[in-house]
Amino acid sequence: LTEDEKMRTSSASSLWRLQNFVSSSKQLINQRTLATSSHNSTYYTKLSRIKLITAKYDASCLTNTSTFRTARAFSVANEEKWNNSLPTITDAREKVLHSQNTKDSKKPQSTVDDEVKSKRRRISKVPISEVLKAKHTLRWVAPVISMCATVREAILVCIEGGLSGMMVVDREEHTSSTSHERGKVVGMTTSRDLLRVIASGLKDSALTDEILNKRVDGFMTPISQVIYARPEETIGMCRTVMAKLGVKCLPILSEGRVEGLVTSKDLQEFGLKATDRGGKKSYLRDVTERKGLSSETSMAEPPIYLKSHLAQKEHPLYVNVGVMELPHPFKTEDGCMMNQREFGKFGKQDYPTDPSFSEDAHFVAHIKIPDEQHSGELKEVVYMGVADGVGSWRQHNVDPRLFSGKLMLECKNILLERSYQSIQDKSTRSANSNYFSPSDIMAHAYERVKADNIVGSSTACVAVLDGVSHQLLFSNLGDSGIIVLRHIDSDIAGALKRDRRTKREDRKSDLRPAFVSQQQLRSFNFPYQLGWTGANSEYGDGIFETATDCCTSSVHIRRGDIILMATDGLFDNVDIDDIANIALEWEMENGFLTSGGMEAREKRWAKGHSYAKLSRETLPNLAKALCEKARENSLDSSTDSPFAILAKENDIMWGGGMPDDCTVIAMHVVGKMADGSEE
């Protein structure tokens, strides 16, 4: 053989031997990688070299189709790839389950990975029973206290036992009717409850002994209201319940028995080793660098997005209320006449002003309700409402005034009852916000009216003005409504609030509607309404709407706003721009707005002059002026009213005004209470 032939033969033989070695090595890599034990470092090093040889062999195979330089580059790249992907000794130790077991070591890598993953559980998936077991293993303290115990005794039990909550038991009662064991659970109390009792007593200037001698059963959470968890429920589920309800302690109930209490601290510590929870090493590692503050430490200011909210609480708003109600101009003691001519047949010269003739009804209630932050504080708010009885019930010999009047009366009764209950029973102070929502008040009042079997129907609008949060929340059903008038500077007003019809130099003021509620109509002059046809009727309330059909919304209010709640007697006869002009005249007449405009008003407010008392005394005049304007326009047949314009849009020939009952509740938002201290 020539030298070239010998070289090719030797290369082929070497390549064949290398190929067999690499083939067996690859099989060995796939089968034995996960079986590497932590103490077999020599084998681990050999295995790494086998991988490197394999990579170089893969590169040498490329010489048949490319240059040696390309193959060498590929070899280097594979060498880096293997070096970067080599598992560390720690990873190998975590993946190995039985390194000495030959059968297990021959399992495919995918099978071993699945088994390892199945052994690892997320903390959120662990049953809460394991948390309770781990807690009791470390330390057992019975989380119970007698219902006859005092606040003083409860505090000592909490501190000495390291408890966040305790089940309140009656040691005189049997646990069940079939058991002779005494200690029936009657409620639950927490350390937070104890702090609330102490804080409440301090606010009421009660004596220390009087506070500490209060019995636990006087402020505990009744057994019917205790939120609990089951042993099979997971840590994640319990965390969700705690976060949603704002509780830090959950009793674990199993087969009618409380197995123990789990707190948020227990959930945080579960899964930690003893060395992580305590010990000198963990203390030096986790605590030492975080202990102690410098003498120049100060508190950071609230975030920008919270400053405006906090400013509202520091500067609450107040509202003065004025009410006026005028009946239909053609009403008499015997009913309602159809027109002016028929009304004149009775020899009537003056139009009626007696509110008892009106089918409208209203209420205004100043009450105290719980704070939304569940702080135990009570804040004063103002509720108001109007209802417009449907006059066509007279054709069925039904007095329309009864239904609307009873509806508004029950709204006020419900508010006063709930407010009184909140003051007397502190446990209701944690009730949700829906407890006092306008739609909820309306719904319960409607049920009471039906329970009294009062036949009739009416529209309804109920609102609440919260001066602390600067919000007006309302629920409107039908064609009554709310208007919020505000001084909006045209130079900075948005496109929707800008007055485009009147030139800037011709405008008298910038008072314009900032909000107008939406009417709810089935068809023209057929509004949504609450109603009742009688207990013996086949219809009942099925043909009417309910409180869930209300248009519910909230409006941000500002100091100086004028809020008008009225029945359709106002909106059908007076255009919104005319309403704003009447409100402006009232402001100018009483000095709330002068020739200096909004700038002069801001300066007056800055000096502490709110004119709150003057607002309270003159506000009924604004309501009266609006009602009188509505009556005047309703009797004017020469000018189309808003009602007439809407009628013609629905192909109904109607001209002039729309005589009707009219009720207006006028409100003026001020910065101080009208107590006369500033005057």
Side-chain angles (χ1 to χ4, degrees), residues 521-527 642-648 650 652 654:
L521 302 173
R522 289 192 179 185
S523 61
F524 173 72
N525 204 27
F526 187 9
F643 179 86
I645 295 174
L646 183 60
K648 291 176 180 178
N650 287 270
I652 299 175
W654 186 282

Side-chain angles (χ1 to χ4, degrees), residues 354-616:
D354 189 352
S356 63
F357 290 175
S358 176
E359 294 154 9
D360 291 351
H362 70 277
F363 80 92
V364 177
H366 296 258
I367 67 168
K368 292 184 177 181
I369 66 173
D371 183 32
E372 294 89 347
Q373 305 299 326
H374 308 309
S375 61
E377 299 277 341
L378 292 173
K379 62 179 181 181
E380 184 172 339
V381 296
V382 182
Y383 280 82
M384 70 289 300
V386 294
D388 182 7
V390 178
S392 57
W393 279 100
R394 293 185 184 274
Q395 302 173 11
H396 302 277
N397 297 322
V398 174
D399 189 348
R401 297 174 295 182
L402 300 179
F403 188 93
S404 58
K406 182 65 173 178
L407 182 66
M408 292 292 99
L409 177 62
E410 291 300 338
C411 284
K412 186 172 184 178
N413 289 341
I414 291 172
L415 286 168
L416 295 177
E417 291 169 5
R418 292 185 177 181
S419 176
Y420 178 79
Q421 184 180 6
S422 296
I423 297 175
Q424 298 298 320
D425 188 0
K426 296 180 181 180
S427 64
T428 61
R429 297 190 182 185
S430 60
N432 55 35
S433 58
N434 188 58
Y435 188 69
F436 287 93
S437 69
S439 59
D440 182 67
I441 299 300
M442 187 188 303
H444 282 79
Y446 180 38
E447 293 300 322
R448 290 189 180 186
V449 174
K450 292 191 296 183
D452 291 342
N453 199 28
I454 297 178
V455 178
S457 62
S458 77
T459 64
C461 182
V462 178
V464 55
L465 195 147
D466 186 353
V468 176
S469 60
H470 297 195
Q471 290 289 322
L472 174 70
L473 177 65
F474 71 90
S475 294
N476 183 44
L477 184 76
D479 54 5
S480 298
I482 291 178
I483 295 179
V484 179
L485 301 176
R486 180 177 300 162
H487 286 276
I488 304 175
D489 192 345
S490 295
D491 293 336
I492 60 175
L496 297 178
K497 303 298 183 183
R498 196 180 301 277
D499 185 0
R500 298 181 179 274
R501 294 182 296 177
T502 309
K503 294 182 179 180
R504 176 67 177 166
E505 58 272 13
D506 295 336
R507 278 181 219 150
K508 297 180 180 179
S509 79
D510 290 316
L511 183 65
R512 62 192 63 154
F515 176 81
V516 179
S517 64
Q518 197 76 20
Q519 287 188 336
Q520 292 178 302
L521 302 173
R522 289 192 179 185
S523 61
F524 173 72
N525 204 27
F526 187 9
Y528 283 18
Q529 51 196 279
L530 304 173
W532 179 247
T533 58
N536 299 325
S537 172
E538 59 178 323
Y539 300 107
D541 61 352
I543 60 176
F544 300 102
E545 283 74 28
T546 64
T548 57
D549 299 311
C550 288
C551 174
T552 300
S553 183
S554 63
V555 185
H556 178 74
I557 59 173
R558 300 181 64 180
R559 187 176 182 180
D561 286 354
I562 297 176
I563 306 171
L564 302 173
M565 174 186 285
T567 57
D568 61 338
L570 175 67
F571 304 123
D572 285 347
N573 292 289
V574 186
D575 188 73
I576 293 180
D577 290 338
D578 294 333
I579 293 176
N581 290 334
I582 294 174
L584 176 62
E585 292 177 2
W586 172 78
E587 283 188 312
M588 300 291 290
E589 180 181 350
N590 294 281
F592 299 109
L593 194 71
T594 61
S595 57
M598 296 174 58
E599 184 178 353
R601 186 181 67 170
E602 293 290 342
K603 291 181 179 179
R604 172 169 59 84
W605 287 348
K607 295 179 180 179
H609 302 304
S610 182
Y611 291 178
K613 184 177 180 181
L614 180 62
S615 169
R616 182 185 62 183

